[in-house]
Amino acid sequence: MLKLRYILFSLLLLPFLFITSIHAAKIEMGDYTLDKESIIEDDLYVSGKNIKINGVVDGDLIVFGNNILVDGTVTGDLYLFGSTVSVSGNIYENSVLAGSTIKIQGTYGGISSLHL
């Protein structure tokens, strides 16, 4: 009987051994500006007309908008989809840029970049 209790107790604790930390992303809608002094320590998803990223995104940055300017630092992957896309910041991973007008002056650390 005591062995059965240990087995049941072990089975109850088993799911807690596989719990991992959950990382939520920050989601913004509408015109958005990330100031130079600001740091987002997570993935950032932005959808709006005018988007300016001057600060640091410590994660991936995914943006859908009309006018997109990335002048800050992105430590993860960068995905920008808009009419006017301008990147003059530091990008540490891969990037995908799509737009009518694309201007690239930043520093890229990723191996592959696709610019449409």
CSV table of all heavy atoms in Angstrom, one decimal, residues 27-92:
chain,number,residue,atom,x,y,z
A,27,ILE,N,2.4,43.4,-27.6
A,27,ILE,CA,1.6,43.7,-28.8
A,27,ILE,C,1.1,45.1,-28.8
A,27,ILE,O,0.4,45.5,-27.8
A,27,ILE,CB,0.4,42.7,-29.0
A,27,ILE,CG1,0.9,41.3,-29.1
A,27,ILE,CG2,-0.4,43.1,-30.2
A,27,ILE,CD1,-0.1,40.2,-29.0
A,28,GLU,N,1.3,45.9,-29.8
A,28,GLU,CA,0.9,47.3,-29.9
A,28,GLU,C,0.1,47.5,-31.2
A,28,GLU,O,0.5,47.0,-32.2
A,28,GLU,CB,2.1,48.3,-29.8
A,28,GLU,CG,2.9,48.2,-28.6
A,28,GLU,CD,2.1,48.8,-27.4
A,28,GLU,OE1,1.2,49.6,-27.6
A,28,GLU,OE2,2.5,48.5,-26.3
A,29,MET,N,-0.9,48.4,-31.1
A,29,MET,CA,-1.7,48.7,-32.3
A,29,MET,C,-1.8,50.2,-32.4
A,29,MET,O,-1.8,50.9,-31.4
A,29,MET,CB,-3.0,48.1,-32.3
A,29,MET,CG,-3.0,46.5,-32.3
A,29,MET,SD,-4.5,45.7,-32.5
A,29,MET,CE,-4.8,46.1,-34.2
A,30,GLY,N,-1.9,50.7,-33.7
A,30,GLY,CA,-2.0,52.2,-33.9
A,30,GLY,C,-0.6,52.8,-34.1
A,30,GLY,O,0.4,52.1,-34.1
A,31,ASP,N,-0.5,54.1,-34.2
A,31,ASP,CA,0.8,54.8,-34.3
A,31,ASP,C,1.6,54.4,-33.0
A,31,ASP,O,1.1,54.5,-31.9
A,31,ASP,CB,0.6,56.3,-34.4
A,31,ASP,CG,0.1,56.7,-35.7
A,31,ASP,OD1,0.0,55.8,-36.7
A,31,ASP,OD2,-0.3,57.9,-35.9
A,32,TYR,N,2.9,54.1,-33.2
A,32,TYR,CA,3.7,53.6,-32.1
A,32,TYR,C,5.1,54.2,-32.2
A,32,TYR,O,5.7,54.1,-33.3
A,32,TYR,CB,3.7,52.1,-32.0
A,32,TYR,CG,4.5,51.5,-30.9
A,32,TYR,CD1,4.0,51.5,-29.6
A,32,TYR,CD2,5.8,51.0,-31.1
A,32,TYR,CE1,4.8,51.0,-28.6
A,32,TYR,CE2,6.6,50.5,-30.1
A,32,TYR,CZ,6.0,50.5,-28.8
A,32,TYR,OH,6.8,50.0,-27.8
A,33,THR,N,5.7,54.6,-31.1
A,33,THR,CA,7.0,55.1,-31.1
A,33,THR,C,7.7,54.5,-29.8
A,33,THR,O,7.2,54.6,-28.7
A,33,THR,CB,7.1,56.6,-31.0
A,33,THR,OG1,6.5,57.2,-32.1
A,33,THR,CG2,8.6,57.1,-30.9
A,34,LEU,N,8.9,53.8,-30.0
A,34,LEU,CA,9.7,53.3,-28.9
A,34,LEU,C,10.8,54.3,-28.8
A,34,LEU,O,11.7,54.4,-29.7
A,34,LEU,CB,10.2,51.9,-29.2
A,34,LEU,CG,11.0,51.3,-28.1
A,34,LEU,CD1,10.2,51.0,-26.9
A,34,LEU,CD2,11.6,50.0,-28.6
A,35,ASP,N,10.9,55.0,-27.7
A,35,ASP,CA,11.9,56.0,-27.4
A,35,ASP,C,13.3,55.4,-27.3
A,35,ASP,O,13.5,54.2,-27.1
A,35,ASP,CB,11.6,56.8,-26.1
A,35,ASP,CG,10.3,57.5,-26.1
A,35,ASP,OD1,9.9,57.9,-27.2
A,35,ASP,OD2,9.7,57.7,-25.0
A,36,LYS,N,14.3,56.3,-27.6
A,36,LYS,CA,15.7,55.8,-27.5
A,36,LYS,C,16.1,55.2,-26.2
A,36,LYS,O,16.9,54.3,-26.1
A,36,LYS,CB,16.6,57.0,-27.8
A,36,LYS,CG,17.0,57.2,-29.2
A,36,LYS,CD,18.1,58.2,-29.4
A,36,LYS,CE,18.5,58.2,-30.9
A,36,LYS,NZ,19.4,59.3,-31.2
A,37,GLU,N,15.5,55.7,-25.1
A,37,GLU,CA,15.9,55.2,-23.8
A,37,GLU,C,15.2,54.0,-23.4
A,37,GLU,O,15.5,53.4,-22.4
A,37,GLU,CB,15.6,56.3,-22.7
A,37,GLU,CG,16.4,57.6,-22.9
A,37,GLU,CD,15.9,58.5,-24.0
A,37,GLU,OE1,14.7,58.5,-24.2
A,37,GLU,OE2,16.7,59.2,-24.6
A,38,SER,N,14.2,53.5,-24.2
A,38,SER,CA,13.3,52.4,-23.8
A,38,SER,C,14.0,51.1,-24.3
A,38,SER,O,14.6,51.0,-25.3
A,38,SER,CB,12.0,52.6,-24.4
A,38,SER,OG,11.3,53.7,-23.9
A,39,ILE,N,13.7,50.0,-23.5
A,39,ILE,CA,14.2,48.7,-23.8
A,39,ILE,C,13.0,47.8,-23.6
A,39,ILE,O,12.4,47.8,-22.5
A,39,ILE,CB,15.4,48.3,-22.9
A,39,ILE,CG1,16.6,49.2,-23.1
A,39,ILE,CG2,15.7,46.8,-23.2
A,39,ILE,CD1,17.7,48.9,-22.1
A,40,ILE,N,12.7,47.0,-24.6
A,40,ILE,CA,11.7,46.0,-24.5
A,40,ILE,C,12.4,44.6,-24.5
A,40,ILE,O,13.1,44.2,-25.4
A,40,ILE,CB,10.7,46.0,-25.7
A,40,ILE,CG1,10.1,47.4,-25.7
A,40,ILE,CG2,9.7,44.9,-25.6
A,40,ILE,CD1,8.7,47.5,-26.2
A,41,GLU,N,12.3,43.9,-23.4
A,41,GLU,CA,13.0,42.6,-23.2
A,41,GLU,C,12.0,41.5,-23.6
A,41,GLU,O,11.8,40.6,-22.8
A,41,GLU,CB,13.5,42.5,-21.8
A,41,GLU,CG,14.5,43.5,-21.5
A,41,GLU,CD,15.0,43.4,-20.0
A,41,GLU,OE1,14.4,42.8,-19.2
A,41,GLU,OE2,16.1,44.0,-19.8
A,42,ASP,N,11.5,41.5,-24.8
A,42,ASP,CA,10.6,40.5,-25.3
A,42,ASP,C,10.4,40.7,-26.8
A,42,ASP,O,10.9,41.7,-27.3
A,42,ASP,CB,9.3,40.6,-24.5
A,42,ASP,CG,8.6,39.3,-24.3
A,42,ASP,OD1,8.9,38.3,-25.1
A,42,ASP,OD2,7.8,39.2,-23.4
A,43,ASP,N,9.7,39.8,-27.4
A,43,ASP,CA,9.3,40.1,-28.8
A,43,ASP,C,8.3,41.2,-28.8
A,43,ASP,O,7.5,41.4,-27.9
A,43,ASP,CB,8.7,38.8,-29.4
A,43,ASP,CG,9.7,37.7,-29.5
A,43,ASP,OD1,10.9,37.9,-29.4
A,43,ASP,OD2,9.2,36.5,-29.6
A,44,LEU,N,8.3,42.0,-29.9
A,44,LEU,CA,7.4,43.1,-30.1
A,44,LEU,C,6.7,43.0,-31.4
A,44,LEU,O,7.3,42.8,-32.5
A,44,LEU,CB,8.2,44.4,-30.0
A,44,LEU,CG,7.4,45.7,-30.3
A,44,LEU,CD1,6.3,45.9,-29.2
A,44,LEU,CD2,8.3,46.9,-30.3
A,45,TYR,N,5.4,43.0,-31.3
A,45,TYR,CA,4.5,43.0,-32.5
A,45,TYR,C,3.8,44.3,-32.6
A,45,TYR,O,3.1,44.7,-31.7
A,45,TYR,CB,3.5,41.8,-32.4
A,45,TYR,CG,4.1,40.5,-32.3
A,45,TYR,CD1,4.4,39.9,-31.1
A,45,TYR,CD2,4.4,39.7,-33.5
A,45,TYR,CE1,5.0,38.7,-31.0
A,45,TYR,CE2,4.9,38.5,-33.4
A,45,TYR,CZ,5.2,37.9,-32.1
A,45,TYR,OH,5.8,36.7,-32.0
A,46,VAL,N,3.9,45.0,-33.8
A,46,VAL,CA,3.3,46.3,-33.9
A,46,VAL,C,2.5,46.4,-35.2
A,46,VAL,O,3.0,45.9,-36.3
A,46,VAL,CB,4.3,47.5,-33.9
A,46,VAL,CG1,3.6,48.8,-33.9
A,46,VAL,CG2,5.2,47.4,-32.6
A,47,SER,N,1.3,46.9,-35.2
A,47,SER,CA,0.5,47.1,-36.4
A,47,SER,C,-0.1,48.5,-36.3
A,47,SER,O,-0.8,48.9,-35.3
A,47,SER,CB,-0.6,46.1,-36.4
A,47,SER,OG,-1.5,46.4,-37.5
A,48,GLY,N,0.2,49.4,-37.3
A,48,GLY,CA,-0.3,50.7,-37.3
A,48,GLY,C,0.2,51.5,-38.5
A,48,GLY,O,0.9,50.9,-39.4
A,49,LYS,N,-0.1,52.8,-38.6
A,49,LYS,CA,0.2,53.6,-39.7
A,49,LYS,C,1.7,54.1,-39.7
A,49,LYS,O,2.4,53.9,-40.6
A,49,LYS,CB,-0.8,54.8,-39.8
A,49,LYS,CG,-0.6,55.6,-41.1
A,49,LYS,CD,-1.7,56.6,-41.2
A,49,LYS,CE,-1.5,57.4,-42.5
A,49,LYS,NZ,-2.5,58.4,-42.7
A,50,ASN,N,2.0,54.7,-38.6
A,50,ASN,CA,3.4,55.2,-38.4
A,50,ASN,C,4.1,54.6,-37.2
A,50,ASN,O,3.6,54.7,-36.1
A,50,ASN,CB,3.4,56.8,-38.2
A,50,ASN,CG,2.7,57.5,-39.4
A,50,ASN,OD1,3.2,57.3,-40.5
A,50,ASN,ND2,1.7,58.2,-39.1
A,51,ILE,N,5.2,53.9,-37.5
A,51,ILE,CA,5.9,53.1,-36.4
A,51,ILE,C,7.3,53.6,-36.4
A,51,ILE,O,8.0,53.5,-37.5
A,51,ILE,CB,5.7,51.6,-36.6
A,51,ILE,CG1,4.3,51.2,-36.4
A,51,ILE,CG2,6.6,50.9,-35.6
A,51,ILE,CD1,3.7,50.5,-37.5
A,52,LYS,N,7.8,54.0,-35.3
A,52,LYS,CA,9.2,54.3,-35.1
A,52,LYS,C,9.8,53.5,-33.9
A,52,LYS,O,9.3,53.6,-32.8
A,52,LYS,CB,9.4,55.8,-34.8
A,52,LYS,CG,8.9,56.7,-35.9
A,52,LYS,CD,9.1,58.2,-35.5
A,52,LYS,CE,8.5,59.0,-36.6
A,52,LYS,NZ,8.6,60.5,-36.3
A,53,ILE,N,10.9,52.8,-34.2
A,53,ILE,CA,11.6,52.0,-33.2
A,53,ILE,C,13.0,52.7,-33.0
A,53,ILE,O,13.9,52.5,-33.9
A,53,ILE,CB,11.7,50.5,-33.6
A,53,ILE,CG1,10.3,50.0,-33.9
A,53,ILE,CG2,12.4,49.8,-32.5
A,53,ILE,CD1,9.4,49.9,-32.8
A,54,ASN,N,13.1,53.5,-32.0
A,54,ASN,CA,14.4,54.1,-31.7
A,54,ASN,C,15.2,53.5,-30.6
A,54,ASN,O,16.4,53.7,-30.4
A,54,ASN,CB,14.2,55.6,-31.4
A,54,ASN,CG,13.6,56.3,-32.6
A,54,ASN,OD1,14.0,56.1,-33.7
A,54,ASN,ND2,12.7,57.2,-32.3
A,55,GLY,N,14.5,52.7,-29.8
A,55,GLY,CA,15.1,52.0,-28.6
A,55,GLY,C,15.6,50.6,-28.9
A,55,GLY,O,15.9,50.3,-30.1
A,56,VAL,N,15.6,49.8,-27.9
A,56,VAL,CA,16.1,48.4,-28.0
A,56,VAL,C,15.0,47.4,-27.9
A,56,VAL,O,14.2,47.5,-26.9
A,56,VAL,CB,17.2,48.2,-26.9
A,56,VAL,CG1,17.7,46.7,-27.0
A,56,VAL,CG2,18.4,49.1,-27.1
A,57,VAL,N,14.9,46.5,-28.8
A,57,VAL,CA,14.0,45.4,-28.7
A,57,VAL,C,14.9,44.1,-28.5
A,57,VAL,O,15.6,43.7,-29.4
A,57,VAL,CB,13.1,45.2,-30.0
A,57,VAL,CG1,12.3,44.0,-29.9
A,57,VAL,CG2,12.3,46.5,-30.2
A,58,ASP,N,14.9,43.6,-27.3
A,58,ASP,CA,15.7,42.4,-27.0
A,58,ASP,C,14.8,41.2,-27.3
A,58,ASP,O,14.3,40.5,-26.4
A,58,ASP,CB,16.1,42.5,-25.5
A,58,ASP,CG,17.1,41.4,-25.2
A,58,ASP,OD1,17.7,40.8,-26.1
A,58,ASP,OD2,17.4,41.2,-24.0
A,59,GLY,N,14.7,40.9,-28.6
A,59,GLY,CA,13.8,39.8,-29.1
A,59,GLY,C,13.5,40.1,-30.5
A,59,GLY,O,14.2,40.9,-31.2
A,60,ASP,N,12.5,39.4,-31.1
A,60,ASP,CA,12.1,39.6,-32.4
A,60,ASP,C,11.2,40.9,-32.5
A,60,ASP,O,10.5,41.2,-31.6
A,60,ASP,CB,11.3,38.4,-33.0
A,60,ASP,CG,12.2,37.2,-33.0
A,60,ASP,OD1,13.4,37.3,-33.0
A,60,ASP,OD2,11.6,36.1,-33.1
A,61,LEU,N,11.3,41.5,-33.7
A,61,LEU,CA,10.4,42.7,-34.0
A,61,LEU,C,9.6,42.4,-35.3
A,61,LEU,O,10.2,42.1,-36.3
A,61,LEU,CB,11.2,43.9,-34.2
A,61,LEU,CG,10.5,45.2,-34.6
A,61,LEU,CD1,9.4,45.6,-33.6
A,61,LEU,CD2,11.4,46.3,-34.9
A,62,ILE,N,8.3,42.4,-35.2
A,62,ILE,CA,7.4,42.1,-36.3
A,62,ILE,C,6.5,43.3,-36.5
A,62,ILE,O,5.8,43.6,-35.5
A,62,ILE,CB,6.6,40.8,-36.1
A,62,ILE,CG1,7.6,39.7,-36.0
A,62,ILE,CG2,5.7,40.6,-37.3
A,62,ILE,CD1,7.0,38.4,-35.6
A,63,VAL,N,6.5,44.0,-37.6
A,63,VAL,CA,5.8,45.2,-37.8
A,63,VAL,C,5.0,45.2,-39.1
A,63,VAL,O,5.6,44.8,-40.2
A,63,VAL,CB,6.7,46.4,-37.8
A,63,VAL,CG1,5.9,47.7,-38.1
A,63,VAL,CG2,7.5,46.5,-36.5
A,64,PHE,N,3.7,45.6,-39.1
A,64,PHE,CA,2.9,45.8,-40.2
A,64,PHE,C,2.4,47.2,-40.2
A,64,PHE,O,1.8,47.6,-39.2
A,64,PHE,CB,1.7,44.9,-40.2
A,64,PHE,CG,2.0,43.4,-40.4
A,64,PHE,CD1,2.2,42.6,-39.3
A,64,PHE,CD2,2.1,42.8,-41.6
A,64,PHE,CE1,2.5,41.3,-39.4
A,64,PHE,CE2,2.4,41.5,-41.8
A,64,PHE,CZ,2.6,40.7,-40.6
A,65,GLY,N,2.8,48.1,-41.2
A,65,GLY,CA,2.4,49.5,-41.1
A,65,GLY,C,2.6,50.2,-42.4
A,65,GLY,O,3.1,49.6,-43.4
A,66,ASN,N,2.3,51.5,-42.4
A,66,ASN,CA,2.5,52.3,-43.6
A,66,ASN,C,4.0,52.8,-43.7
A,66,ASN,O,4.7,52.5,-44.6
A,66,ASN,CB,1.6,53.5,-43.6
A,66,ASN,CG,0.6,53.5,-44.7
A,66,ASN,OD1,0.5,52.6,-45.4
A,66,ASN,ND2,-0.3,54.5,-44.7
A,67,ASN,N,4.3,53.6,-42.7
A,67,ASN,CA,5.7,54.2,-42.6
A,67,ASN,C,6.4,53.6,-41.4
A,67,ASN,O,6.0,53.8,-40.2
A,67,ASN,CB,5.6,55.7,-42.4
A,67,ASN,CG,4.8,56.3,-43.5
A,67,ASN,OD1,5.1,56.1,-44.7
A,67,ASN,ND2,3.8,57.1,-43.2
A,68,ILE,N,7.5,52.8,-41.7
A,68,ILE,CA,8.2,52.1,-40.6
A,68,ILE,C,9.6,52.6,-40.6
A,68,ILE,O,10.3,52.6,-41.6
A,68,ILE,CB,8.1,50.6,-40.9
A,68,ILE,CG1,6.7,50.1,-41.0
A,68,ILE,CG2,8.9,49.9,-39.8
A,68,ILE,CD1,6.6,48.7,-41.5
A,69,LEU,N,10.1,53.0,-39.4
A,69,LEU,CA,11.5,53.4,-39.2
A,69,LEU,C,12.1,52.6,-38.1
A,69,LEU,O,11.5,52.7,-37.0
A,69,LEU,CB,11.6,54.9,-39.0
A,69,LEU,CG,12.9,55.4,-38.5
A,69,LEU,CD1,14.0,55.3,-39.6
A,69,LEU,CD2,12.8,56.9,-38.0
A,70,VAL,N,13.1,51.9,-38.3
A,70,VAL,CA,13.9,51.2,-37.2
A,70,VAL,C,15.2,51.8,-37.2
A,70,VAL,O,16.1,51.6,-38.0
A,70,VAL,CB,13.9,49.7,-37.5
A,70,VAL,CG1,14.7,49.0,-36.4
A,70,VAL,CG2,12.6,49.1,-37.6
A,71,ASP,N,15.4,52.6,-36.1
A,71,ASP,CA,16.7,53.3,-35.9
A,71,ASP,C,17.4,52.8,-34.6
A,71,ASP,O,18.5,53.3,-34.3
A,71,ASP,CB,16.5,54.8,-35.8
A,71,ASP,CG,17.7,55.7,-35.8
A,71,ASP,OD1,18.7,55.2,-36.5
A,71,ASP,OD2,17.8,56.7,-35.2
A,72,GLY,N,16.8,51.9,-34.0
A,72,GLY,CA,17.3,51.3,-32.7
A,72,GLY,C,18.0,50.0,-32.9
A,72,GLY,O,18.5,49.7,-34.0
A,73,THR,N,18.0,49.2,-31.9
A,73,THR,CA,18.7,47.9,-32.0
A,73,THR,C,17.6,46.8,-31.8
A,73,THR,O,16.8,46.8,-30.9
A,73,THR,CB,19.7,47.8,-30.8
A,73,THR,OG1,20.7,48.8,-31.1
A,73,THR,CG2,20.4,46.5,-30.8
A,74,VAL,N,17.8,45.7,-32.6
A,74,VAL,CA,16.9,44.5,-32.5
A,74,VAL,C,17.8,43.3,-32.4
A,74,VAL,O,18.6,43.1,-33.2
A,74,VAL,CB,16.0,44.4,-33.7
A,74,VAL,CG1,15.2,43.1,-33.6
A,74,VAL,CG2,15.1,45.6,-33.9
A,75,THR,N,17.8,42.6,-31.2
A,75,THR,CA,18.7,41.5,-31.0
A,75,THR,C,18.2,40.2,-31.6
A,75,THR,O,19.0,39.3,-31.8
A,75,THR,CB,18.9,41.3,-29.5
A,75,THR,OG1,17.6,40.9,-28.9
A,75,THR,CG2,19.4,42.5,-28.8
A,76,GLY,N,16.9,40.2,-32.0
A,76,GLY,CA,16.4,39.0,-32.6
A,76,GLY,C,16.2,39.2,-34.1
A,76,GLY,O,16.8,40.0,-34.8
A,77,ASP,N,15.2,38.5,-34.7
A,77,ASP,CA,14.9,38.6,-36.1
A,77,ASP,C,14.0,39.8,-36.3
A,77,ASP,O,13.3,40.3,-35.4
A,77,ASP,CB,14.1,37.4,-36.6
A,77,ASP,CG,15.0,36.1,-36.6
A,77,ASP,OD1,16.2,36.2,-36.8
A,77,ASP,OD2,14.4,35.0,-36.4
A,78,LEU,N,14.1,40.4,-37.5
A,78,LEU,CA,13.3,41.6,-37.9
A,78,LEU,C,12.4,41.3,-39.1
A,78,LEU,O,12.9,40.8,-40.1
A,78,LEU,CB,14.3,42.7,-38.3
A,78,LEU,CG,13.7,44.0,-38.8
A,78,LEU,CD1,13.0,44.7,-37.6
A,78,LEU,CD2,14.8,44.9,-39.3
A,79,TYR,N,11.1,41.5,-39.0
A,79,TYR,CA,10.2,41.4,-40.0
A,79,TYR,C,9.4,42.7,-40.2
A,79,TYR,O,8.7,43.0,-39.3
A,79,TYR,CB,9.2,40.2,-39.7
A,79,TYR,CG,9.9,38.9,-39.5
A,79,TYR,CD1,10.2,38.5,-38.2
A,79,TYR,CD2,10.1,38.0,-40.6
A,79,TYR,CE1,10.9,37.3,-38.0
A,79,TYR,CE2,10.7,36.8,-40.4
A,79,TYR,CZ,11.1,36.4,-39.1
A,79,TYR,OH,11.7,35.2,-38.9
A,80,LEU,N,9.6,43.3,-41.3
A,80,LEU,CA,8.9,44.6,-41.6
A,80,LEU,C,8.1,44.5,-42.9
A,80,LEU,O,8.7,44.2,-43.9
A,80,LEU,CB,9.9,45.8,-41.7
A,80,LEU,CG,10.9,46.0,-40.5
A,80,LEU,CD1,11.8,47.1,-40.8
A,80,LEU,CD2,10.1,46.2,-39.2
A,81,PHE,N,6.8,44.9,-42.8
A,81,PHE,CA,6.0,44.9,-44.0
A,81,PHE,C,5.2,46.2,-44.0
A,81,PHE,O,4.4,46.5,-43.1
A,81,PHE,CB,5.0,43.7,-43.9
A,81,PHE,CG,5.6,42.4,-43.7
A,81,PHE,CD1,5.8,41.8,-42.4
A,81,PHE,CD2,6.1,41.7,-44.8
A,81,PHE,CE1,6.4,40.6,-42.2
A,81,PHE,CE2,6.7,40.4,-44.6
A,81,PHE,CZ,6.8,39.9,-43.3
A,82,GLY,N,5.5,47.1,-45.0
A,82,GLY,CA,4.9,48.4,-45.1
A,82,GLY,C,5.1,49.0,-46.4
A,82,GLY,O,5.8,48.5,-47.3
A,83,SER,N,4.6,50.2,-46.5
A,83,SER,CA,4.8,51.0,-47.8
A,83,SER,C,6.2,51.6,-47.8
A,83,SER,O,6.9,51.4,-48.8
A,83,SER,CB,3.8,52.2,-47.9
A,83,SER,OG,2.5,51.7,-48.0
A,84,THR,N,6.6,52.3,-46.8
A,84,THR,CA,7.9,52.9,-46.7
A,84,THR,C,8.6,52.3,-45.5
A,84,THR,O,8.2,52.4,-44.4
A,84,THR,CB,7.8,54.4,-46.5
A,84,THR,OG1,7.1,55.0,-47.6
A,84,THR,CG2,9.2,55.0,-46.5
A,85,VAL,N,9.7,51.6,-45.8
A,85,VAL,CA,10.4,50.8,-44.8
A,85,VAL,C,11.9,51.4,-44.7
A,85,VAL,O,12.5,51.4,-45.8
A,85,VAL,CB,10.4,49.3,-45.0
A,85,VAL,CG1,11.3,48.6,-44.0
A,85,VAL,CG2,9.0,48.8,-45.0
A,86,SER,N,12.3,51.8,-43.6
A,86,SER,CA,13.7,52.4,-43.4
A,86,SER,C,14.3,51.7,-42.2
A,86,SER,O,13.8,51.8,-41.1
A,86,SER,CB,13.6,53.9,-43.3
A,86,SER,OG,14.9,54.4,-43.1
A,87,VAL,N,15.5,51.2,-42.4
A,87,VAL,CA,16.3,50.6,-41.3
A,87,VAL,C,17.7,51.2,-41.3
A,87,VAL,O,18.4,51.1,-42.2
A,87,VAL,CB,16.4,49.0,-41.5
A,87,VAL,CG1,17.2,48.4,-40.4
A,87,VAL,CG2,15.1,48.4,-41.6
A,88,SER,N,18.0,51.9,-40.2
A,88,SER,CA,19.3,52.4,-40.0
A,88,SER,C,19.9,52.0,-38.6
A,88,SER,O,20.8,52.6,-38.2
A,88,SER,CB,19.2,54.0,-40.1
A,88,SER,OG,18.3,54.5,-39.2
A,89,GLY,N,19.3,51.0,-38.0
A,89,GLY,CA,19.7,50.6,-36.7
A,89,GLY,C,20.6,49.3,-36.8
A,89,GLY,O,21.0,49.0,-37.9
A,90,ASN,N,20.8,48.7,-35.7
A,90,ASN,CA,21.6,47.4,-35.6
A,90,ASN,C,20.6,46.3,-35.5
A,90,ASN,O,19.8,46.2,-34.5
A,90,ASN,CB,22.5,47.5,-34.4
A,90,ASN,CG,23.4,48.7,-34.4
A,90,ASN,OD1,24.0,48.9,-35.5
A,90,ASN,ND2,23.6,49.4,-33.4
A,91,ILE,N,20.8,45.3,-36.4
A,91,ILE,CA,20.0,44.1,-36.4
A,91,ILE,C,20.9,42.9,-36.2
A,91,ILE,O,21.8,42.7,-37.0
A,91,ILE,CB,19.2,43.9,-37.7
A,91,ILE,CG1,18.5,45.2,-38.1
A,91,ILE,CG2,18.2,42.8,-37.6
A,91,ILE,CD1,17.5,45.8,-37.0
A,92,TYR,N,20.7,42.1,-35.1
A,92,TYR,CA,21.6,41.1,-34.8
A,92,TYR,C,21.3,39.7,-35.5
A,92,TYR,O,22.2,38.9,-35.6
A,92,TYR,CB,21.7,40.8,-33.3
A,92,TYR,CG,22.4,41.9,-32.6
A,92,TYR,CD1,21.8,43.1,-32.1
A,92,TYR,CD2,23.8,41.9,-32.4
A,92,TYR,CE1,22.5,44.1,-31.5
A,92,TYR,CE2,24.5,42.9,-31.8
A,92,TYR,CZ,23.9,44.0,-31.3
A,92,TYR,OH,24.6,45.0,-30.7
